[in-house]
Every structure is written in C-alpha cells, then in structure tokens.
Amino acid sequence: MELTILQTSDAFKYSRMLRATSRTAIEYCRRHGFAYESFVGIKRGFHGAHATFNRMFMLTELIERGYRGWTLYMDADAYIYDLAFDLRAYLADKQRHSAIMTTIPGETVPWHINAGVLFFNLAHPSSADLIAEWKRRFMAIPEERLRTLTSVWDYDNDQTMLYQSLDQNVALRDPVLFEDPMIFNHHEARFIRQFLHSLDTDIERRTDTIATAVARVLGDAGDGSPASSVTAALYRLILKREPDPGSASYSHLIAAKGLEHGIPEVVGLLLDSPEYRTRIGAELALRDTEAPGKQDG
C-alpha cells in the first residue's frame, strides 16, 4: 500500500510549529515505509493564513504526477501520537471510500468535518473530483477578496469550502467515510492528535505545548541525539553559551531537514538572532572604547 503524508505552513507564523510536528510524521514514514512531502510558503494568496489552501494544490500536483495511493494531510498543529499505529491494517478494508474525514464533535451532520487531518484515496475515481471541486471554490475567490482575507476564520476558508463541496453534491459525499475524531483528529486522539487554535489562541504558547508533546512522543532526552549535539555546538560557537530549552526547535529543524540543509539554516537563524546582534554590538563598542587606550600606550 502506497501512502504519502502531506504538511504545509507559511514561512513565519506556523513554520516553527510545522518543524515540530513534522518530526513525528517523518519518523512515522521512516518506520512504516511511507513517503513524506511538505511545502513552506503560499501557493496562491497574499497573507500567511493563505497557506491553509496549499493542500489543494499539493493534492492536485500528486494526481497530475500519476500518484494513485493514499494521502494523509495533517495541519501544522497535528502530530502523530502513536508511532506504532498500524495504518495499513486500518486502511485495508477502506478502498471503497474516496476519502476519510472526521466529524466535528457534537455535530449532527456527519460531513460537518474538521479539515485539519484528512485522508484521500487517490485510486478512487471520486477522490480527484472532490479535490477538484474543493479547489474550484477557492480559485473562484477574486484576487481583491484574497487581499482582504487575513484570517482563516473568515467565511471564505478551506474547511467551509470542503463542507460545501460535500453538502451540495451527494455523488461526492456518498463515497466518503466520516470517522470518529477520537481516532485521528482530536487533542486526545489515539493515532493523530491536533492541538487546535480554540484550545489556546496564543501561537507561541501553543507551539511550545505541541513541541513538548512531540518530544515526549519521540522520547527526546534533551541531548545525546546527533541534531541536539550539533545544535549545542552551534550555540557554543555562535552565541558563546550552552543551549537552553529554546534550542529544541533548532534541533527539531536539523532532525527534520538533515545535516546538509538543517545546519546552514540554523546558523543563519542564530546569526540573525537579537541575542547574537546584541552581543556583537557590545563587543564592537567595547573594542572602540579600548582602541584609543591601546594606541596611547
């Protein structure tokens, strides 16, 4: 069985969160022989919130490449909680479904779904039609409207568009399986957990909570891993101090991107950090004040 996990985020607000949650997705793929793809940026739009629409393009691109396996899309705030979950066994009897989605808890209409975690069976003839209709609704939004759409909580959002695609077309809705969110789309789900904006509106605090949960899932000891060791060495070289708990996000980045790509990115981030700029500024100022005394001597 082929399966590809997809994730995406903007380059700024949610990128640190994606670096954390992607660690679980990448590790899960490594253990189970699945593929992983992510995109950071905006496929169409103007604001960071528009990254939520990237999934439509990523799914379309998979279809255009001829991929016909399963895809699992996970928002940046979703992470795999159970790395041993047997996804092959779970999907074995679901080939007749075009997609699998979870109903929002408390909703009586099954297709009133949470779009944060979605399965699409691209081997099913209806799956591509559903994705195309979903994307069509987004592409119908004029550029002028997109420029004013700064929040995903406005009416024109990806979740509402997917709901409408299902609600208004029985042929697209019938092959979809609407699943229990306690399996893969809840902050206490047994396979994939999502820590929603509604649980904590502070993005930094929510990211820290998710990063802590991810570290627990992966059994991070805080040091000893290659990524942590490299990060510690970079802290000593650039910041002239030992790493603190905040360095974990840099270790996560190196672990996710690998040494070749992760190290240069972390070096750039550290060199651009306020701490480094302040220290270098202080050192230059001290050098300037000491220079005349040395010349007089």
Side-chain angles (χ1 to χ4, degrees):
M1 184 195 79
E2 282 189 289
L3 183 136
T4 299
I5 295 181
L6 302 178
Q7 286 190 288
T8 187
S9 80
D10 69 301
F12 305 105
K13 186 174 181 180
Y14 280 92
S15 59
R16 186 166 74 92
M17 188 180 291
L18 177 62
R19 287 199 298 271
T21 59
S22 66
R23 297 180 64 215
T24 63
I26 291 170
E27 177 61 17
Y28 187 79
C29 288
R30 186 191 69 79
R31 293 189 185 190
H32 297 273
F34 299 138
Y36 176 85
E37 295 184 16
S38 67
F39 177 81
V40 175
I42 300 171
K43 296 279 190 177
R44 179 188 180 230
F46 306 95
H47 309 290
H50 298 165
T52 191
F53 301 112
N54 290 344
R55 70 190 81 181
M56 304 173 188
F57 295 89
M58 295 173 75
L59 288 163
T60 301
E61 289 161 7
L62 276 180
I63 294 170
E64 291 173 347
R65 279 155 42 189
Y67 180 81
R68 294 297 180 266
W70 281 92
T71 62
L72 164 56
Y73 171 80
M74 296 168 49
D75 267 350
D77 59 0
Y79 64 95
I80 294 178
Y81 174 72
D82 182 2
L83 293 173
F85 186 89
D86 191 345
L87 196 48
R88 286 186 173 84
Y90 172 77
L91 293 173
D93 63 349
K94 296 177 176 61
Q95 290 298 325
R96 69 184 184 280
H97 296 291
S98 61
I100 307 173
M101 308 175 188
T102 61
T103 305
I104 294 175
E107 292 294 335
T108 56
V109 177
W111 53 94
H112 197 160
I113 47 89
N114 179 348
V117 181
L118 302 166
F119 285 88
F120 287 95
N121 176 12
L122 298 187
H124 193 287
S126 181
S127 186
D129 293 338
L130 175 57
I131 293 166
E133 173 59 18
W134 189 20
K135 183 182 176 185
R136 182 195 68 76
R137 291 174 181 268
F138 170 57
M139 298 304 292
I141 299 177
E143 297 285 299
E144 311 81 68
R145 168 58 179 154
L146 274 182
R147 289 186 183 276
T148 66
L149 186 65
T150 59
S151 169
V152 296
W153 308 113
D154 291 344
Y155 177 75
D156 291 321
N157 66 73
D158 59 295
Q159 184 162 293
T160 298
M161 292 174 195
L162 183 54
Y163 165 77
Q164 291 172 336
S165 300
L166 297 167
D167 188 59
Q168 297 170 15
N169 192 321
V170 177
L172 294 179
R173 184 173 72 238
D174 277 352
V176 177
L177 172 64
F178 300 104
E179 185 64 278
D180 181 356
M182 293 306 296
I183 297 177
F184 63 79
N185 206 342
H186 189 275
H187 65 278
E188 294 182 345
R190 61 187 178 91
F191 175 33
I192 301 171
R193 295 187 170 183
Q194 185 178 16
F195 198 76
L196 295 166
H197 174 270
S198 58
L199 296 172
D200 191 340
T201 58
D202 185 294
I203 181 67
E204 294 301 325
R205 189 169 57 231
R206 185 157 64 109
T207 300
D208 288 341
T209 299
I210 290 171
T212 299
V214 165
R216 190 176 298 117
V217 168
L218 296 174
D220 288 356
D223 57 14
S225 69
S228 295
S229 298
V230 169
T231 300
L234 293 176
Y235 260 66
R236 297 184 190 108
L237 177 66
I238 297 172
L239 300 183
K240 306 299 184 184
R241 66 174 177 85
E242 294 298 314
D244 55 27
S247 69
S249 62
Y250 296 124
S251 299
H252 298 167
L253 188 153
I254 292 173
K257 293 196 171 185
L259 298 179
E260 180 181 356
H261 301 289
I263 290 177
E265 187 168 338
V266 169
V267 168
L269 291 169
L270 290 176
L271 291 175
D272 194 44
S273 67
E275 179 181 347
Y276 178 77
R277 294 198 302 268
T278 299
R279 184 174 67 78
I280 290 299
E283 289 179 359
L284 291 175
L286 180 61
R287 187 180 307 168
D288 290 341
T289 58
E290 290 179 344
K294 290 180 179 179
Q295 292 174 356
D296 293 343

